[in-house]
């Protein structure tokens, strides 16, 4: 398997245990196809999910999987856990053990969790420079007011990490309910931010990541594959 991105000639030389001169000959003889087309360019860049054949025999065929799950409260965002059911336990796909989680949720948080085997996609979603927003619906014990909106927008200093949170958008939906949009994911971030107001979060639900919105047809515990459009447009 090619690890992330690699040049075609390097991949073939390594895979077939031959010299790059021999690879050039193979290409000149039209023996290699990349994603169904005869490969001519030794410098062509391929990745883990590029389909490659040699003499019409498949030598690399890895499928990228992208799943959205409606995580229920009480399920842990991990692949293994001694105590609790994990998000993987909820999936029935034969390839589920290849997947990793893109941005965890706390045990008592529900909502959208993405899983994939495509580490380049997940890295992109979690890199700060892409500023992929995550939208949460938050229920609170005490009444909200405009002071919350300003404090979330200004950012809050977390001494434990010695950081100030990035500007977050808080919209008051009702007296005890808000929508919060974050572009980062600090440990227990939303609960800690409301903690500054001594206002306990009574329920927390992630509604979207980037442009991908949790499918309202998915009951808690259910999942589905993302569409190609969702995969490609998520971080716009
Ligand atoms: N903020 C939290 O406090 N918990 C989550 O699960 C996500 C964001």
């Amino acid at each position: 398997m090619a690890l992330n991105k690699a040049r075609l000639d390097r991949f073939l030389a390594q895979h077939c245990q031959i010299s790059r001169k021999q690879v050039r000959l193979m290409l000149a003889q039209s023996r290699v196809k990349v994603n169904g087309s005869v490969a001519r360019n030794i410098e062509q860049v391929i990745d883990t999910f590029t389909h490659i054949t040699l003499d019409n025999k498949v030598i690399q065929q890895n499928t990228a999987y992208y799943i959205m799950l409606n995580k229920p409260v009480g399920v842990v965002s991990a692949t293994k856990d001694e105590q609790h059911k994990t998000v993987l336990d909820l999936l029935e796909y034969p390839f589920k053990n290849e997947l990793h989680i893109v941005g965890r949720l706390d045990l008592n948080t529900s909502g959208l969790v993405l899983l994939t085997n495509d580490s380049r996609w997940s890295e992109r979603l979690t890199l700060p420079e892409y500023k992929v927003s995550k939208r949460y619906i938050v229920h609170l014990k005490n009444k909200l007011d405009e002071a919350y909106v300003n404090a979330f927008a200004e950012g809050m200093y977390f001494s434990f990490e010695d950081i100030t949170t990035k500007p977050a958008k808080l919209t008051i939906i009702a007296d005890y309910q808000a929508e919060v949009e974050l572009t980062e994911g600090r440990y227990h971030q939303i609960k800690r931010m409301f903690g500054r107001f001594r206002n306990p979060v009574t329920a927390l639900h992630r509604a979207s990541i980037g442009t991908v919105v949790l499918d309202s047809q998915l009951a808690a515990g259910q999942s589905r594959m993302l569409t190609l459009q969702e995969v490609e447009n998520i971080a716009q």
Side-chain angles (χ1 to χ4, degrees):
M1 190 202 303
L3 268 180
N4 292 325
K5 283 192 178 199
R7 264 173 55 148
L8 179 63
D9 59 345
R10 291 216 177 101
F11 168 77
L12 288 169
Q14 200 181 7
H15 181 90
C16 306
Q17 294 291 298
I18 55 175
S19 68
R20 284 205 245 152
K21 197 171 160 195
Q22 286 169 301
V23 170
R24 273 199 291 278
L25 186 64
M26 262 166 40
L27 262 59
Q29 292 169 335
S30 305
R31 294 169 61 196
V32 179
K33 283 188 190 149
V34 170
N35 291 334
S37 305
V38 173
R40 306 247 174 249
N41 180 6
I42 54 166
E43 288 180 18
Q44 178 167 1
V45 176
I46 55 146
D47 69 26
T48 315
F49 302 111
T50 307
H51 189 273
I52 303 170
T53 61
L54 170 60
D55 298 332
N56 293 322
K57 282 199 204 96
V58 176
I59 58 170
Q60 178 176 270
Q61 179 183 38
N62 300 305
T63 310
Y65 300 110
Y66 308 91
I67 306 289
M68 76 155 71
L69 167 73
N70 185 359
K71 181 184 110 53
V73 165
V75 170
V76 70
S77 290
T79 48
K80 266 191 210 148
D81 194 85
E82 301 282 297
Q83 244 188 312
H84 300 281
K85 212 177 221 193
T86 70
V87 289
L88 275 200
D89 292 330
L90 299 174
L91 306 180
E92 283 177 1
Y93 309 96
F95 52 81
K96 69 177 188 174
N97 290 317
E98 293 172 34
L99 303 176
H100 60 266
I101 301 160
V102 190
R104 286 154 205 278
L105 288 179
D106 294 341
L107 185 67
N108 55 3
T109 303
S110 60
L112 179 61
V113 171
L114 298 175
L115 299 109
T116 184
N117 60 345
D118 182 350
S119 49
R120 274 194 297 135
W121 186 76
S122 56
E123 268 162 34
R124 216 175 120 222
L125 289 183
T126 43
L127 281 176
E129 55 262 42
Y130 283 98
K131 295 199 181 98
V132 175
S133 75
K134 281 146 241 142
R135 201 163 45 84
Y136 296 85
I137 305 298
V138 195
H139 291 258
L140 296 139
K141 184 148 184 250
N142 305 319
K143 232 174 171 173
L144 292 156
D145 60 44
E146 287 302 314
Y148 287 78
V149 179
N150 297 331
F152 275 62
E154 274 169 20
M156 290 180 193
Y157 179 67
F158 285 175
S159 58
F160 184 73
E161 297 96 330
D162 189 24
I163 54 105
T164 299
T165 57
K166 301 239 161 59
K169 187 172 172 211
L170 183 145
T171 310
I172 299 175
I173 300 174
D175 284 351
Y176 300 90
Q177 196 185 347
E179 183 185 278
V180 174
E181 224 176 295
L182 301 179
T183 54
E184 59 189 340
R186 303 283 170 190
Y187 180 68
H188 293 332
Q189 183 165 346
I190 290 184
K191 288 173 200 146
R192 288 163 79 194
M193 291 178 89
F194 283 103
R196 288 289 161 89
F197 289 87
R198 298 192 190 289
N199 194 351
V201 169
T202 55
L204 182 57
H205 180 83
R206 184 153 67 196
S208 65
I209 299 175
T211 55
V212 171
V213 178
L214 180 62
D215 191 328
S216 59
Q217 304 290 308
L218 294 178
Q222 289 185 331
S223 63
R224 71 155 168 84
M225 298 224 189
L226 295 191
T227 63
L228 189 61
Q229 209 174 15
E230 284 171 328
V231 172
E232 286 179 353
N233 297 342
I234 186 164
Q236 286 190 337

